[in-house]
Amino acid sequence: MAEERKKNLSRRDFLKTSGIATGTLLGGGLIGGLVGYNVKRTNVAEPETKTEAQKTETFKGRMFFTNNKDFNTLSQATERIFPKDDLGPGAIDLGVPYFIDNQLAGNYGNNTKEYMQGPFFAGEATQGYQSRLTRAEIFSQGIAKLNEEATKRFKKSFSELEGNQMDEILTDFQKDKIKMTAVSSAFFFRLLRQATLEGAYADPIYNGNNNMDAWRMKGFPGHQASYINVIENKEFQKIDPKSVSSMMH
């Protein structure tokens, strides 16, 4: 009975026990619980219909990845990190790939506000950004390497692989087993994982967190103008979340 319960442990339970549910970023050794955890394979596709919230709050379009192969690779990689399950949508349905794509095309991808001059030395695991490459360059190389490994091992592009095959490659990136130039594969993976979580939980104005569904899974109310009507209520308040965009109308 205990074994069956362990097997059916939901993603929500895992996120709570790992600290993500309370906003804590993961450390380097916890990816075993994220990659492929309770995952259901999801194909890259635009939803056929959109809610009114999605129509008014998001304007999706690719700004960085210029071909479908690269974008599909990014999409499937994020889905393995934040998979769809019975509790809610995964990275693809939440629009995370568009969030990352758009961020890479701007200041985040270009490291505009960060010191990027030499000398460049290999940093310790406890240190922050150490590469001479921008995030945009790291992601471009990382996505290419994901496809390169997929072709080398399975004669297919990354997005065409089975879930366990994707997990094998992603885990080797996390364990720093893949050779990359001017950056470690483990560092690329940390960037990918962090960007995936940020895209899932960011305000929808940044083209992630479609329809605020990730906030709904956590019971987060988003950006409310006031709590004056409920602030003195001792019972838990379930509040429908609001985006920053709702304050602009």
Side-chain angles (χ1 to χ4, degrees):
M1 194 70 179
E3 192 64 30
E4 185 66 22
R5 187 169 180 272
K6 184 178 180 182
K7 191 180 297 182
N8 293 328
L9 184 70
S10 69
R11 176 185 67 192
R12 182 72 59 81
D13 293 328
F14 173 76
L15 295 182
K16 285 180 179 178
T17 57
S18 65
I20 304 177
T22 57
T24 305
L25 290 180
L26 288 179
L30 213 49
I31 185 59
L34 274 178
V35 172
Y37 191 89
N38 197 26
V39 73
K40 296 178 181 178
R41 180 72 179 277
T42 306
N43 293 324
V44 178
E46 290 291 333
E48 294 183 4
T49 58
K50 293 186 177 181
T51 65
E52 285 302 312
Q54 287 173 292
K55 290 177 183 176
T56 57
E57 293 180 7
T58 61
F59 304 90
K60 295 197 182 302
R62 281 165 26 196
M63 302 167 63
F64 182 77
F65 290 101
T66 57
N67 65 71
N68 289 333
K69 182 179 179 180
D70 289 347
F71 187 74
N72 290 350
T73 295
L74 172 69
S75 298
Q76 292 298 341
T78 61
E79 185 73 12
R80 298 309 295 177
I81 294 170
F82 197 98
K84 178 180 181 180
D85 63 15
D86 58 336
L87 295 174
I92 291 176
D93 290 338
L94 287 171
V96 169
Y98 285 98
F99 168 87
I100 295 176
D101 173 273
N102 294 177
Q103 292 299 313
L104 290 175
N107 289 341
Y108 169 85
N110 295 321
N111 296 65
T112 304
K113 298 182 179 181
E114 295 165 70
Y115 184 82
M116 292 293 290
Q117 302 302 312
F120 298 100
F121 300 106
E124 299 296 327
T126 54
Q127 291 181 302
Y129 208 99
Q130 299 294 319
S131 177
R132 62 178 171 80
L133 303 179
T134 64
R135 293 186 187 89
E137 291 169 331
I138 292 174
F139 266 86
S140 293
Q141 184 185 168
I143 295 300
K145 284 288 184 179
L146 285 172
N147 279 314
E148 182 181 307
E149 287 297 315
T151 301
K152 184 194 306 180
R153 301 183 193 194
F154 306 110
K155 311 299 184 197
K156 294 180 179 179
S157 65
F158 184 84
S159 62
E160 296 172 325
L161 300 181
E162 296 299 321
N164 64 325
Q165 295 172 331
M166 293 183 191
D167 294 347
E168 175 188 314
I169 294 174
L170 286 169
T171 300
D172 281 351
F173 271 79
Q174 189 266 338
K175 292 181 177 180
D176 207 16
K177 293 182 178 181
I178 309 300
K179 179 67 176 175
M180 293 182 65
T181 303
V183 68
S184 69
S185 64
F187 186 73
F188 163 65
F189 187 85
R190 287 197 296 272
L191 282 182
L192 174 64
R193 179 180 58 195
Q194 182 175 338
T196 298
L197 295 174
E198 289 173 353
Y201 293 114
D203 191 286
I205 62 172
Y206 299 107
N207 279 339
N209 191 13
N210 283 348
N211 200 30
M212 296 169 283
D213 284 338
W215 287 353
R216 288 188 170 88
M217 284 192 285
K218 292 183 67 172
F220 179 64
H223 305 281
Q224 303 288 325
S226 172
Y227 296 95
I228 192 169
N229 295 327
V230 297
I231 196 168
E232 294 184 3
N233 197 315
K234 295 181 179 180
E235 297 179 2
F236 177 78
Q237 300 297 307
K238 188 174 182 179
I239 303 173
D240 199 45
K242 289 185 179 180
S243 165
V244 167
S245 64
S246 66
M247 303 177 182
M248 301 177 182
H249 300 319

